Amino acid sequence: TKAAIFSGVVAVLLGIGASSMIAVPVRRLVHATGALAESDFHHRIQVGDQGELSELAVSFNAMATRLEETVNSLREAKERAERSEASRRQFMLEASHNLRTPLSAVQGWTEALLDGLVPGEESHHLRKIHRETLFVAQTVQRLLDWSRWEDAPPLLTFESFPVSEPLLDCAESLAEAAESKDIKLSFHGLESEPTVLADRHRLREIFQILLENAVHHNPAGTAIDVRFKPGSERSEITVSDDGKGLPEEFQRDLRCRCGGGLGLAIASRLVEAH
């Protein structure tokens, strides 16, 4: 009958409509799955109101988000590992250079003394050997410290003492080197003998590193200013000079030993520990 035919047509149209409503989200799911397979982790499915298909879309989007986060985490870990390996190689190169140069000088001066090639200058050469030996010992100690601090922060012993003591000790140890380059060190803010609460040995090492860099890496005639500025809870000590300064690309990553070198990386770590 006409009624039966009409009902059949309506049923077919409804079936086609229902199939279309199912097929479109399924095609989106297939497309999104294919995108994931091609490492496109940004793709998401638009969530509709098709009941179970909506739940499937929500679950898929959540899975894609977790997968994207995991992949990003792995990528960052890989980049850190590559930087670490590059830093390790540079570390070994710098360590070898820092030790080889003074040891070669010590060997040459010692052989000259043994062969009697410097009559009347023995004391002068012995002082140079002593100076370079101290430098090697200091470098080895800094290498050991840095190696330990890769896994744990520095251990500090706090006490109260005049900040001028470690500062002037460092200045005295560098007086000969500064004088040989006509470099003048000026100290400001120490007139009232300010005290600090810190690790005396480690604070001296911080000052030693900063002043060493200022003296050894600047041209002759450079003026170096050391200023102490007290604060209610923290004090500020600035070592500045009129030299060309540290290149900007190194300033961005002083904590990394591959940036400003081993000394500045250690100074940065010790300041943070304080």
Side-chain angles (χ1 to χ4, degrees), residues 38-94:
E38 296 297 327
S39 300
D40 178 5
F41 303 110
H42 305 291
H43 199 87
R44 299 293 184 272
I45 301 174
Q46 184 177 355
V47 178
D49 55 357
Q50 287 88 21
E52 292 182 356
L53 286 176
S54 295
E55 294 178 5
L56 179 61
V58 170
S59 297
F60 178 90
N61 289 342
M63 178 196 69
T65 298
R66 289 194 299 271
L67 185 58
E68 182 178 15
E69 291 173 350
T70 300
V71 169
N72 288 339
S73 178
L74 291 173
R75 184 180 295 116
E76 291 172 0
K78 179 183 178 182
E79 291 173 354
R80 285 196 301 270
E82 291 174 349
R83 288 196 299 269
S84 177
E85 176 60 21
S87 177
R88 186 193 66 80
R89 289 195 297 267
Q90 184 66 18
F91 180 87
M92 296 304 297
L93 286 174
E94 288 188 10

Side-chain angles (χ1 to χ4, degrees), residues 121-140:
E121 299 182 14
E122 290 83 359
S123 295
H124 175 66
H125 278 69
L126 286 173
R127 283 196 298 271
K128 291 196 293 185
I129 290 173
H130 181 252
R131 183 189 66 217
E132 296 302 322
T133 302
L134 290 178
F135 174 79
V136 170
Q138 180 187 68
T139 301
V140 170

